[in-house]
Amino acid sequence: MRIKVEDIEKMARLARLSFTDEEKQNLASHLDTIVSYVEKLDELDTTDVQPTYHVLDMQNVLRDDVVEPSLHPDEVLRNAPNKKNGYFSVPKVIG
Amino acid sequence: MRGEWSCVDLTETYLSNIDKGAHLNAFVFSMADRARARAAEIDGRIKTGDAGKLAGLTLAVKDNIVIKGERAGCASAILDGYVSPYSATVIEKLEAEDAIIIGRTNMDEFAMGSSNENSCHGPVKNPNDPTSVTGGSSGGSCAAVSAGMALAALGSDTGGSIRQPASFCGVVGLKPTYGRVSRYGLVAFASSFDQIGPITQNVADAALLLEVMCGLDLKDSTSSPESVPDFTNSVGRDIQGLRIGLPSEYFGEGLNNEVRQAIDNTIDILKQRGAAIVEVSLPHTDYAIAAYYVLTTAEASSNLSRYDGARYGFRAADVSDLDEMYINSRNQGFGEEVKRRIMLGTYVLSAGYYDAYYRKAQQVRTLIKRDFAAAFERCDCLLTPTAPTTAFKIGEKIDDPLTMYLSDIYTVSINLAGLPAISVPCGSDENGLPVGAQIVGNYFDEEMLIRLGHQVHCQAGEKSA
């Protein structure tokens, strides 16, 4: 197995997810199958092939810096589970 | 419109069909009051001759395209209670032409899935056989159009999410060229792939909707300034002398015999109508699924990091610190497949693996683009099956992610290259389940999809008549 439970734990920390032991085992097995499949890309020689990041080759689309109508802060905050004085409110960060 | 039916009457008919089709689970909710009020307004405009070109067209909208003042949930618990403060550009454009939005359709959570079984609202059932899947991720939208619960619907397509369910449900589904339609207001899954497109009962309706939806939008920096033709002019154009390419890789192992038969019959008829058939090759087809899953999961892991429990509706209860808020909210909010893809995306982007997976897949993406460029030197469009099989049974593939991913084998390459494509019903298997033919055009040549798609759909209609 290329992907071990320790890898799953590391990725889960990075992605802010958590899993039970059974879920970790399942996930390791599923991801291992998928990653092994994905490694078929190594069969291809891609030396000197430029990567495609944007299929239309558009770059740096800019607009003039002009103020236009935008959403009112109250509307933006309406979906926040918790808010205070025009800010998103979250649990304390430092003890 | 000759005034024999009012928009109010039409709307009532569709609302009643939504009630009758409730067992299909195609809708998350209907927007009866909003639709009725809009229909009455539009009836007034029809009388004064001021109605838009889509007057009376009832439209179902996938749960990942936002509408001001309405819930948008992406079939995910993490957006529980989210009400959008603005409308997507496509919604504004379609409503400006008097389309009537009738309800929100079910989907795979965050558009991740090929069967519409990954939804917090449960699976959508195929109107042609309720024990079969609709395909995904725009399964609710395709089922709604197939069962007459809306005249048309909007879907989104990242790797086949409009075309594959359109094929399974027996409707028309069109994915425009990347950049053709603004994604402002489409909840992002994989930003270098996602496109919004129409799902309809026939190709002429798809052309009409597309005309309204396309065009540059300064709110989406990936939208293209390319001019928008009158797509409806391509409906009914003949195909004399058209060069249709058949990529050999799409007709090999894994293609179901009855699907192949339906496509072969279609090709025979197109030949009789004057089209020239050209054999072409897309040699990197076999690598498309691998490149697709590396790139889309990487982009998704980044896009979905915004669901943090602070901003969009849902937060887990009883959290004591910030990290716990993130972890518990995401854990309770996301479903299994979404978590699996976030984990895979995190893995391929993580230190030490970026070049091996992500950069490699972007290079393979270049090779796949070159395959299409070479093919289009020899033909005007490509014709393939949309999916290797007809609709499979609910539950059949849900425990085997890789097998599920492979059901998109004929559609993902098109998104990797950013090309436009349409799925059009072209026949059925021995159980009566629909088969879809996929037509792929060159960049910004949606006119070709409409022209050939209409001919394919007409021949299918003649056969079944």
Side-chain angles (χ1 to χ4, degrees):
Chain A
M1 290 268 286
R2 197 167 326 221
I3 301 208
K4 301 180 184 63
V5 165
E6 300 86 78
D7 296 310
I8 296 297
E9 287 169 347
K10 184 182 162 202
M11 296 309 139
R13 272 197 303 280
L14 290 171
R16 296 297 189 276
L17 292 169
S18 71
F19 299 98
T20 64
D21 286 343
E22 193 191 338
E23 286 171 333
K24 286 178 200 168
Q25 294 285 354
N26 263 330
L27 207 45
S29 147
H30 279 153
L31 291 193
D32 194 71
T33 309
I34 297 167
V35 167
S36 305
Y37 176 77
V38 157
E39 286 184 349
K40 72 191 292 173
L41 296 177
D42 291 337
E43 295 164 15
L44 295 172
D45 180 5
T46 51
T47 319
D48 299 329
V49 175
Q50 286 299 309
T52 294
Y53 295 109
H54 193 312
V55 289
L56 300 180
D57 216 17
M58 291 163 84
Q59 288 177 0
N60 296 339
V61 178
L62 303 175
R63 62 167 175 79
D64 294 334
D65 188 12
V66 178
V67 178
E68 289 181 22
S70 56
L71 294 174
H72 190 278
D74 288 348
E75 287 183 73
V76 176
L77 284 167
R78 201 173 53 187
N79 286 296
N82 202 346
K83 62 208 159 204
K84 205 172 179 181
N85 304 329
Y87 291 93
F88 295 102
S89 175
V90 297
K92 68 178 177 181
V93 179
I94 39 176
Chain B
M1 179 162 218
R2 285 172 292 170
E4 289 159 7
W5 280 78
S6 68
C7 291
V8 169
D9 291 338
L10 279 172
T11 302
E12 290 303 334
T13 303
Y14 283 102
L15 287 170
S16 131
N17 287 352
I18 292 175
D19 287 342
K20 283 182 210 150
H23 62 286
L24 298 172
N25 202 23
F27 280 81
V28 179
F29 56 90
S30 68
M31 299 184 191
D33 293 346
R34 190 180 197 277
R36 286 182 179 122
R38 289 267 306 159
E41 278 172 39
I42 294 164
D43 278 335
R45 282 200 284 280
I46 289 172
K47 285 199 183 94
T48 57
D50 301 320
K53 68 202 269 192
L54 303 179
L57 184 144
T58 50
L59 184 74
V61 178
K62 191 175 179 180
D63 201 22
N64 61 349
I65 301 170
V66 302
I67 303 167
K68 185 173 180 174
E70 299 291 340
R71 281 176 288 145
C74 294
S76 179
I78 207 155
L79 279 163
D80 189 29
Y82 176 80
V83 174
S84 178
Y86 70 102
S87 283
T89 297
V90 284
I91 298 294
E92 289 187 342
K93 285 184 157 190
L94 292 164
E95 288 203 315
E97 291 294 346
D98 288 337
I100 300 168
I101 296 174
I102 197 160
R104 271 249 177 259
T105 50
N106 202 347
M107 58 185 280
D108 281 300
E109 185 179 0
F110 284 103
M112 297 178 188
S114 311
S115 67
N116 219 128
E117 292 168 287
N118 304 324
S119 162
C120 74
H121 308 294
V124 184
K125 294 170 183 157
N126 193 317
N128 300 283
D129 168 19
T131 64
S132 292
V133 301
T134 51
S137 66
S138 309
S141 288
C142 291
V145 174
S146 169
M149 299 188 278
L151 189 65
L154 294 183
S156 65
D157 192 315
T158 303
S161 279
I162 289 174
R163 292 160 286 154
Q164 184 252 23
S167 171
F168 282 12
C169 292
V171 296
V172 171
L174 192 153
K175 183 205 91 78
T177 307
Y178 185 81
R180 226 352 162 180
V181 173
S182 167
R183 287 106 47 92
Y184 181 71
L186 169 69
V187 178
F189 160 16
S191 305
S192 75
F193 294 77
D194 303 338
Q195 265 289 289
I196 300 172
I199 293 159
T200 54
Q201 289 168 345
N202 58 56
V203 176
D205 285 351
L208 186 62
L209 278 169
L210 197 63
E211 253 172 45
V212 175
M213 293 164 66
C214 289
L216 178 66
D217 177 16
L218 297 177
K219 289 174 178 160
D220 174 5
S221 65
T222 62
S223 83
S224 164
E226 191 81 14
S227 67
V228 181
D230 293 333
F231 292 115
T232 45
N233 290 344
S234 299
V235 177
R237 273 189 70 192
D238 71 45
I239 54 169
Q240 190 66 43
L242 203 70
R243 297 171 304 162
I244 301 173
L246 304 180
S248 53
E249 292 80 3
Y250 286 56
F251 292 87
E253 200 186 333
L255 175 60
N256 170 281
N257 271 332
E258 291 172 54
V259 174
R260 180 193 302 267
Q261 195 56 53
I263 301 289
D264 284 347
N265 291 345
T266 302
I267 293 167
D268 284 342
I269 292 168
L270 297 176
K271 275 196 238 176
Q272 289 163 23
R273 294 191 183 168
I277 301 301
V278 186
E279 296 281 336
V280 297
S281 175
L282 300 168
H284 296 96
T285 299
D286 201 26
Y287 301 92
I289 293 274
Y292 174 82
Y293 276 93
V294 170
L295 298 174
T296 56
T297 58
E299 293 184 21
S301 72
S302 170
N303 273 326
L304 271 60
S305 65
R306 67 176 55 118
Y307 302 104
D308 54 6
R311 292 174 286 170
Y312 300 101
F314 176 75
R315 179 184 296 183
D318 303 323
V319 291
S320 58
D321 63 27
L322 191 67
D323 235 20
E324 208 175 287
M325 177 190 82
Y326 294 147
I327 293 169
N328 293 5
S329 301
R330 289 165 66 79
N331 236 25
Q332 293 167 27
F334 289 136
E336 188 183 347
E337 178 63 19
V338 171
K339 288 182 197 171
R340 180 156 48 226
R341 296 206 198 183
I342 291 173
M343 290 288 281
L344 180 59
T346 305
Y347 181 78
V348 300
L349 287 178
S350 62
Y353 294 117
Y354 178 89
D355 281 347
Y357 294 111
Y358 189 75
R359 190 180 151 82
K360 181 81 184 182
Q362 294 285 38
Q363 289 173 311
V364 173
R365 191 175 196 180
T366 303
L367 299 178
I368 287 169
K369 269 188 78 175
R370 287 181 191 163
D371 283 355
F372 282 105
F376 279 115
E377 285 179 9
R378 302 185 48 226
C379 60
D380 303 305
C381 60
L382 305 172
L383 182 80
T384 79
T386 304
T389 65
T390 52
F392 44 87
K393 293 289 179 194
I394 292 172
E396 188 180 326
K397 297 187 181 181
I398 197 70
D399 295 324
D400 185 353
L402 187 57
T403 304
M404 183 73 90
Y405 296 172
L406 291 171
S407 63
D408 294 330
I409 193 141
Y410 301 144
T411 48
V412 296
S413 298
I414 283 82
N415 300 74
L416 283 160
L419 293 162
I422 191 172
S423 178
V424 177
C426 72
S428 52
D429 70 8
E430 62 178 16
N431 298 317
L433 289 174
V435 174
Q438 174 175 249
I439 302 157
V440 186
N442 214 334
Y443 293 99
F444 298 104
D445 194 9
E446 285 83 359
E447 286 170 293
M448 182 65 69
L449 311 183
I450 304 293
R451 179 179 171 191
L452 183 57
H454 180 73
Q455 297 287 341
V456 168
H457 203 195
C458 288
Q459 67 81 23
E462 282 162 20
K463 261 191 317 202
S464 62

